[in-house]
Amino acid sequence: MTTNYLWTPPAVQSLPVRGSEQRLPIHRLFFVGRNYHAHAVEMGRPVDKSVERPFYFTKAPSTLVESGATVAYPPETSNYHFEMELVVAIGKPGFRIAAEQAHEYIYGYACGLDMTRRDLQLVARDKGRPWDLGKDVEQSSVASEIVPMPGVVIDRGAIALSVNGQFKQQSNVDKLIWDIREIIADLSLFYHLQPGDLIYTGTPEGVGAVLPGDRIAGSVEGVGSVALTVGAAE
């Protein structure tokens, strides 16, 4: 029986998969906050792993755009920031996953950008309010194609981002405070992870503002690259 909706529901969000004609359907978007020491320091919130756990925020899957897109400079901000990230794609259901088994739940990886209305995020952070207006921004979750790497844990590799050809972020995935195994294990204590969940693992230092017309290019060694053009403000 066909469901009769009041209007046409949105299409399923998905990403291309390298080497396949099939696309990976997206379930949820998770983001790890402050997961590189140098970035935590530049944000004024150093992290002590010995007494802290990872923290997360989410974005609606509708915020996802593919690498190569041009997106409008978003409204109600004058400080729109880039954040380059390694993205993990979950490939099978998992709950309360042991860290030593985390690799079994990895389908592959992508390069991602967590675009952020930084001015709104910091106002919310300093007032103890949710970050949604700063983070859950339309067309702010950028991802490359998914590179299948079933069972592979990436624990090192250069990560970098440039704006208009000038490098702004340069680091290595081995500087993650909580590594990929630890992230999957911890997040799975709170959520029943599902195929199509994407985990943006955090950004290194060097985040900064972009303007209309800027071209962003990022890469993760062994995974690929991601690109975004910032369009005119709406």
Side-chain angles (χ1 to χ4, degrees):
M1 179 178 177
T2 301
T3 302
N4 186 15
Y5 294 109
L6 284 170
W7 49 77
T8 302
V12 174
Q13 293 289 91
S14 65
L15 288 171
V17 177
R18 183 179 295 176
S20 175
E21 295 183 358
Q22 294 180 304
R23 293 177 66 91
L24 185 141
I26 303 303
H27 187 230
R28 290 173 293 192
L29 305 179
F30 295 103
F31 294 75
V32 185
R34 294 196 293 268
N35 201 22
Y36 286 80
H37 280 297
H39 173 62
V41 170
E42 77 177 351
M43 295 304 294
R45 295 289 192 275
V47 174
D48 183 352
K49 186 178 180 180
S50 69
V51 296
E52 298 182 49
R53 291 177 65 175
F55 79 92
Y56 312 95
F57 57 91
T58 62
K59 295 191 186 188
S62 61
T63 65
L64 188 70
V65 295
E66 289 186 33
S67 175
T70 297
V71 303
Y73 190 93
E76 299 300 316
T77 183
S78 59
N79 197 21
Y80 198 46
H81 277 214
F82 54 80
E83 296 188 8
M84 179 64 203
E85 313 209 6
L86 171 65
V87 181
V88 181
I90 297 298
K92 70 176 186 178
F95 181 56
R96 294 176 179 160
I97 299 166
E100 56 269 22
Q101 296 176 323
H103 62 281
E104 299 174 10
Y105 298 84
I106 296 171
Y107 174 78
Y109 294 88
C111 300
L113 299 172
D114 168 23
M115 302 299 293
T116 302
R117 286 190 279 222
R118 186 73 72 203
D119 42 3
L120 302 189
Q121 180 205 6
L122 295 182
V123 167
R125 184 195 72 180
D126 293 344
K127 291 186 176 182
R129 295 174 178 173
W131 291 8
D132 297 58
L133 290 179
K135 285 291 190 179
D136 194 22
V137 181
E138 293 169 342
Q139 297 187 306
S140 68
S141 305
V142 188
S144 69
E145 65 181 357
I146 301 293
V147 182
M149 296 185 190
V152 174
V153 175
I154 293 179
D155 55 13
R156 62 180 55 86
I159 181 170
L161 178 142
S162 65
V163 178
N164 301 326
Q166 294 188 336
F167 280 103
K168 303 293 185 179
Q169 293 184 280
Q170 291 181 287
S171 189
N172 196 292
V173 175
D174 65 8
K175 291 182 171 59
L176 285 169
I177 298 172
W178 288 278
D179 64 25
I180 287 170
R181 287 186 181 275
E182 292 170 319
I183 292 167
I184 291 173
D186 187 73
L187 188 59
S188 75
L189 299 176
F190 300 96
Y191 296 93
H192 293 75
L193 296 182
Q194 299 295 325
D197 285 340
L198 299 185
I199 305 172
Y200 285 64
T201 58
T203 193
E205 72 277 12
V207 299
V210 289
L211 297 170
D214 283 347
R215 297 180 178 274
I216 303 169
S219 62
V220 178
E221 182 181 357
V223 177
S225 60
V226 63
L228 183 73
T229 300
V230 183
E234 294 182 308

